[in-house]
C-alpha cells in the first residue's frame, strides 16, 4: 500500500525562501544608504546560500560564485541581485543582531507544525521503516 502525499506549496523551497525574504525586509538597515553597494537582503541571502549549500569556507564559496553558472544559481534560487564580496558580507552580518532572525524560525516552525503535514511525514517515515 503506497501512501503518496502531494507536496505542500507552502513548504517548498521557494515558499520558505520568500518567507525568509519577508522577515529580512523588516530588519532595519543601519548602514549609510550612500555608502552601501549591496542590499542587506543580498548579503544575508548570500550567507544563507553558503550555509544551504554547506560550503565549509565562505571564501571558497565566493570563488565558486565567480563561475557564471554558479552565480546564476545564486540569483535564481535565492533572489540575489548582486553578489557581495567576503568583507562586506562579514561586516554587515556582524552588525545584525541574531534576535532579528527569530521570526524566521517562528514562521517556519508554524508552517511545519501544520497537523496534516506532520501526519504525512509520520506516514512516510513509517512506510520507509517498514520497507527496511
Amino acid at each position: 500500500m503506497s501512501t503518496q502525499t502531494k507536496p505542500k506549496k507552502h513548504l517548498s523551497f521557494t515558499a520558505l525562501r520568500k518567507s525568509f525574504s519577508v522577515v529580512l525586509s523588516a530588519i532595519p538597515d543601519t548602514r549609510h544608504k550612500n555608502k552601501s553597494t549591496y542590499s542587506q537582503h543580498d548579503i544575508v541571502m548570500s550567507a544563507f546560500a553558503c550555509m544551504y549549500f554547506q560550503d565549509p569556507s565562505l571564501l571558497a564559496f565566493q570563488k565558486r560564485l565567480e563561475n557564471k553558472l554558479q552565480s546564476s544559481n545564486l540569483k535564481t534560487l535565492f533572489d540575489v541581485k548582486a553578489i557581495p564580496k567576503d568583507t562586506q558580507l562579514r561586516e554587515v552580518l556582524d552588525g545584525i543582531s541574531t534576535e532579528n532572525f527569530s521570526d524566521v524560525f517562528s514562521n517556519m516552525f508554524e508552517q511545519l507544525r501544520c497537523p496534516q503535514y506532520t501526519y504525512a511525514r509520520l506516514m512516510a517515515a513509517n512506510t520507509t521503516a517498514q520497507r527496511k
Side-chain angles (χ1 to χ4, degrees), residues 1 21 30-31 48 57-58 80 91 93 95 104 114 118 125:
M1 184 165 140
S21 287
T30 57
R31 300 174 297 155
F48 176 60
S57 162
L58 186 57
V80 172
E91 287 174 7
L93 288 177
V104 171
C114 173
T118 303

Side-chain angles (χ1 to χ4, degrees), residues 48-67:
F48 176 60
C50 183
M51 290 186 296
Y52 179 81
F53 290 121
Q54 298 180 357
D55 215 306
S57 162
L58 186 57
L59 187 58
F61 180 70
Q62 293 291 104
K63 286 186 186 227
R64 250 196 14 230
L65 290 179
E66 291 173 3
N67 175 327

Side-chain angles (χ1 to χ4, degrees), residues 8-26:
K8 305 292 182 190
K9 289 184 180 180
H10 71 285
L11 295 174
S12 69
F13 176 80
T14 302
L16 293 174
R17 188 215 15 103
K18 285 180 180 178
S19 175
F20 188 41
S21 287
V22 168
V23 173
L24 288 181
S25 66

Side-chain angles (χ1 to χ4, degrees), residues 69-84:
L69 179 63
Q70 294 296 326
S71 173
S72 179
N73 285 340
L74 184 66
K75 290 176 182 177
T76 303
L77 292 173
F78 294 92
D79 195 31
V80 172
K81 308 289 185 264
I83 301 169

Side-chain angles (χ1 to χ4, degrees), residues 22 35 40 42 44 46 51 53 69 73 78 86 94 98 112 119:
V22 168
K35 295 181 180 180
Q40 184 168 281
D42 287 353
V44 176
S46 295
M51 290 186 296
F53 290 121
L69 179 63
N73 285 340
F78 294 92
D86 181 47
D94 287 346
T98 56
L112 292 172
Y119 177 75

Side-chain angles (χ1 to χ4, degrees), residues 112-123:
L112 292 172
R113 205 169 69 118
C114 173
Q116 294 88 355
Y117 178 75
T118 303
Y119 177 75
R121 295 283 293 177
L122 288 173
M123 291 303 293

